[in-house]
Amino acid sequence: MRRVAILTAPWREPVWALAPFRDEPYACALMSGGQGGRWSYLLRAPDKTFSLTAADASDPFAALADLLGAHQPSHPDGPPFQGGVVGLASYELGDRIEALGLARSDWPDLVCALYPALLAFDHHARQVLAVGRGVSESDAEAQARAALAWLDAPTAAHPEPKGPLCPDLAADDPAVYETAVAEVVERILAGEIFQANIARAWTGRLAPGADPFDLFTRLRGQSPAPFAAYLRLPGRAVVSNSPERFLKVGADGAIETKPIKGTRPRDRDPARDLALAAELLASDKDRAENLMIVDLMRNDLARVSPPGSVRAPDLFRIESFANVHHLVSTVTARLAPGRGIADLLRATFPPGSITGAPKVQAMKVIAELEPPRGPYCGSLFWVGHDGALDSSVLIRTVALVEDAGGWRVEARAGAGIVADSDPRAERLETQAKIAAIRRALTESLE
């Protein structure tokens, strides 16, 4: 039985606590944002890691279960996450669940790291908790003290760039995207699918001297999101500003997912902004699109839940973010006895909100119309030793790869296509969704 120790420290902004480790492989920040967000986490120096590429035939879900090991109790006075695994699941991990023959990106299907300690930032109490685990109380306390020392680490000089981080950011041809949308509508009308999420890409390079952490801090300052995250890997980084939860699981096995379907842009005029939110709430098209994904998620969760335990207690709620209004529903369930987090991920990945319905056929259609997605529309998640989980859908996310010329940048935004979708309107929706990332990459600081 491993022990847990918790030490406290005065409040520190979590972004700047991460700054000294910005270039360190497996340094990770999971950030709450917006109203009601309570906990942010900083993790580094994992005990173990694994990275599974398409060429590796290992079972990724078995590898995750092995890395986690047996359930261990959590501290009753601690944060929801008290150490365990952080994982990055690329969209193409889904090909290991349904053999679709998906082309692979140059990203691993699954990367996981096991952390013995973390810093938890309580935004409500304005306090920092250092959490450590060990085979004895003294070992656990030593881990917690080591994590507490991260707050005092010196930060190397790195002037914050004032100009555009990515002055050459370029979007895919709008006409090509509209043609893809029109093709999906035809395939829906022909009865092949009911819905598919089709995305387009923006690509470029970071300016000399800029790095992924600069983008993370800009996004955090300009457009905080409930599932913002920074993950540094060897030669790669993910910067996410996601508003969407994939799956949340309590230590008691209670499951919640909150799929997003339906979008309207925000407006600076308060009256017009309210009218756009009301229009979204009243839209039969958007409600039908949302309900299709709710049904899909209910079906996925039923695979690992006792009969009758899957419910949809909250449908079609408006949630507003810096650039868009979204239509969000909630689905709940419970893990069946003998089922764990690895079983749940195998049953539900990739998230239904970014695939379509029926899920497998929608993924086939997506693969015909898009290059491999990599991290985009995958998930970033944590799993605690007590069996708890929280995870995001990696939308509003930038994938960065380091090469001899610096950092390559790719961001994507998509829209759910249904029978009455208008290609131009769907293209404009992608532009509304990418707006915060585009602004952070291409505009100068005032």
Side-chain angles (χ1 to χ4, degrees), residues 65-395:
D66 289 344
L67 190 62
L68 279 167
H71 279 200
Q72 299 284 337
S74 57
H75 195 290
D77 299 323
F81 185 30
Q82 300 182 19
V85 170
V86 170
L88 171 65
S90 292
Y91 174 83
E92 282 74 30
L93 177 64
D95 197 58
R96 294 177 182 251
I97 300 168
E98 297 283 351
L100 304 176
L102 299 182
R104 293 299 213 278
S105 71
D106 58 357
W107 284 78
D109 287 349
L110 181 64
V111 180
C112 289
L114 178 68
Y115 297 89
L118 58 80
L119 293 177
F121 298 80
D122 186 343
H123 294 266
H124 290 185
R126 306 294 286 179
Q127 187 177 53
V128 182
L129 305 181
V131 183
R133 285 182 173 269
V135 294
S136 65
E137 290 184 8
S138 60
D139 288 339
E141 185 169 330
Q143 291 283 4
R145 290 195 179 282
L148 205 60
W150 303 347
L151 295 172
D152 298 320
T155 302
H158 183 98
E160 183 179 9
K162 301 300 182 183
L165 297 178
C166 181
D168 64 343
L169 188 70
D172 284 353
D173 185 344
V176 172
Y177 182 75
E178 291 188 19
T179 299
V181 171
E183 179 179 334
V184 173
V185 170
E186 290 179 4
R187 295 171 79 158
I188 291 170
L189 294 174
E192 181 181 348
I193 54 175
F194 300 112
Q195 179 185 162
N197 187 287
I198 303 299
R200 56 192 296 236
W202 284 255
T203 56
R205 282 188 171 275
L206 291 186
D211 66 20
F213 189 76
D214 294 319
L215 173 59
F216 177 63
T217 58
R218 278 204 191 180
L219 275 172
R220 179 70 178 172
Q222 295 175 358
S223 181
F227 296 96
Y230 175 87
L231 177 62
R232 188 71 157 80
L233 299 172
R236 301 175 187 273
V238 170
V239 175
S240 183
N241 208 43
S242 176
E244 184 171 1
R245 168 171 282 141
F246 177 29
L247 298 162
K248 180 181 180 181
V249 181
D252 61 354
I255 305 168
E256 177 187 87
T257 183
K258 299 188 72 172
I260 288 175
K261 273 296 165 193
T263 304
R264 291 293 185 278
R266 300 296 303 268
D267 196 283
R268 292 182 180 180
D269 177 63
R272 175 62 181 154
D273 192 56
L274 285 173
L276 286 166
E279 176 189 298
L280 175 59
L281 187 60
S283 168
D284 289 339
K285 170 188 176 294
D286 289 290
R287 291 165 75 97
E289 185 181 339
N290 189 288
L291 190 59
M292 274 190 259
I293 301 306
V294 167
D295 286 343
L296 188 157
M297 293 305 302
R298 290 174 62 192
N299 181 68
D300 283 354
L301 291 174
R303 300 174 185 175
V304 290
S305 301
S309 71
V310 182
R311 295 180 172 84
D314 192 9
L315 295 174
F316 315 137
R317 180 180 295 275
I318 294 290
E319 294 190 8
S320 299
F321 302 91
N323 293 285
V324 292
H325 300 289
H326 278 313
L327 200 61
V328 184
S329 293
T330 301
V331 182
T332 61
R334 181 169 294 279
L335 276 174
R339 298 286 196 170
I341 295 302
D343 302 305
L344 176 63
L345 291 173
R346 192 192 298 270
T348 57
F349 192 86
S353 63
I354 48 72
T355 51
K359 188 174 187 178
V360 170
Q361 189 59 32
M363 291 177 68
K364 292 179 181 178
V365 171
I366 292 167
E368 292 178 22
L369 298 171
E370 293 182 33
R373 288 177 164 180
Y376 175 70
C377 289
S379 181
L380 189 64
F381 60 87
W382 62 255
V383 190
H385 289 289
D386 59 357
L389 162 81
D390 208 353
S391 58
S392 68
V393 180
L394 287 176
I395 55 175

